[in-house]
Amino acid sequence: MKLGSEAHKQLLCQSFIETHQEYEPEHLPFPHLNDEELARLHSIPFWAKALDIEREAGAMVNAFAQTVKDPVIKDVIALQGYEETRHARLIQTLINRYNIEMSVRPPVILPQKIEPAFTTFGFEECLDSFFAFGLFGIAKEAKVFPEQIFAIFDPILDEEARHIVFFVNWFTYQQQQNKVPSLRGLKTLWYYARALKNIMGAVTEGDTSGNGFTATGAVTFNIDLTPEKFLSVCLQENARRMAKFDPQLLQPQFIPTLCKIAQKILQLQPKRSTVISTSVLNTP
Ligand SMILES: [Fe+2]
Ligand SMILES: [Fe+2]
């Protein structure tokens, strides 16, 4: 199958639509949490930002869908918009169910340039989701919440995996359609550099509420975790989720490749006893 071909478009759109899951967040079986688990959930500092990001993503992706001329791609992007809005509903349901305190959220403001906003969001999702997969795996293994909580959020991460696989294929398809394939690599690099810059900004400012917060921070659960183990779980979880997709489709490669390089570098370092604390994150 040639990238950028009609067959490529059909496969990427069809696989997205076929793997859409029906569920209503309000009907999900949120479990009873004991006092310790409840306190842990309340101590996570980014629920407000997580809710805002999903609300903004839903509105922006839906608005972008309205501008898309190709009816098949339009339907898929509208479906992604629906799923992002549903993520916001899921977080709102969790907030209500466990009485998490939150101020009234500001209205969503749509970006003026909608297609660049969708593209930037797509690259940031690739970055955030990769770390989200790993941190979710670590938190699940450490049993920081009852299994039912992980069972509720696991399909959300699969949805994010679908979004990023759709995104990298859509981006390539668009580039091929616009006949600028030679710029594809450069453009991709530029967008990833921007997404990384946002995350690094958040790290250096100690900001757990801004862009890239899923990778940078949040709540320490006192799980002993070496950088090597962290990278290895991220790569493992990413590979596990990506294995569900048709191998003919492109998958996000840039961040996993960087992490493999980082892993090799860490293996060459003298063994240290350093541990890093781990964070729990939200889905992008
Ligand atoms: Fe989302
Ligand atoms: Fe998403």
Side-chain angles (χ1 to χ4, degrees), residues 164-179:
I164 62 178
V165 168
F166 171 77
F167 173 73
V168 293
N169 283 278
W170 168 84
F171 185 73
T172 299
Y173 176 79
Q174 286 299 117
Q175 295 290 300
Q176 300 278 2
Q177 291 293 304
N178 296 337
K179 306 211 184 310

Side-chain angles (χ1 to χ4, degrees), residues 33-34 36-41 44 135-147 149-150 219-223 278-281:
L33 297 185
N34 64 32
E36 195 188 329
E37 290 159 347
L38 212 48
R40 197 174 283 151
L41 190 78
I44 295 175
L135 289 169
F136 182 86
I138 286 158
K140 187 172 184 230
E141 194 184 287
K143 297 185 170 45
V144 294
F145 291 116
E147 178 54 36
I149 290 282
F150 293 103
V219 179
T220 299
F221 285 126
N222 297 322
I223 303 167
T278 191
S279 311
V280 163
L281 68 161

Side-chain angles (χ1 to χ4, degrees), residues 53-54 57 83-85 87-88 121 125 156 159-160 163 283-284:
I53 285 179
E54 297 291 1
E83 291 178 1
E84 300 293 13
T85 304
H87 292 170
F121 173 74
E125 272 208 305
I156 313 302
E159 280 177 358
E160 297 300 2
H163 295 174
T283 56

Side-chain angles (χ1 to χ4, degrees), residues 10 29 36 49 81 91 100 132 168 188 191 218 242 245 248 269:
Q10 291 300 338
E36 195 188 329
K49 193 67 195 174
I91 293 172
I100 296 169
V168 293
T188 303
Y191 274 110
M242 288 298 150
F245 294 91
Q248 293 180 93
Q269 308 268 319

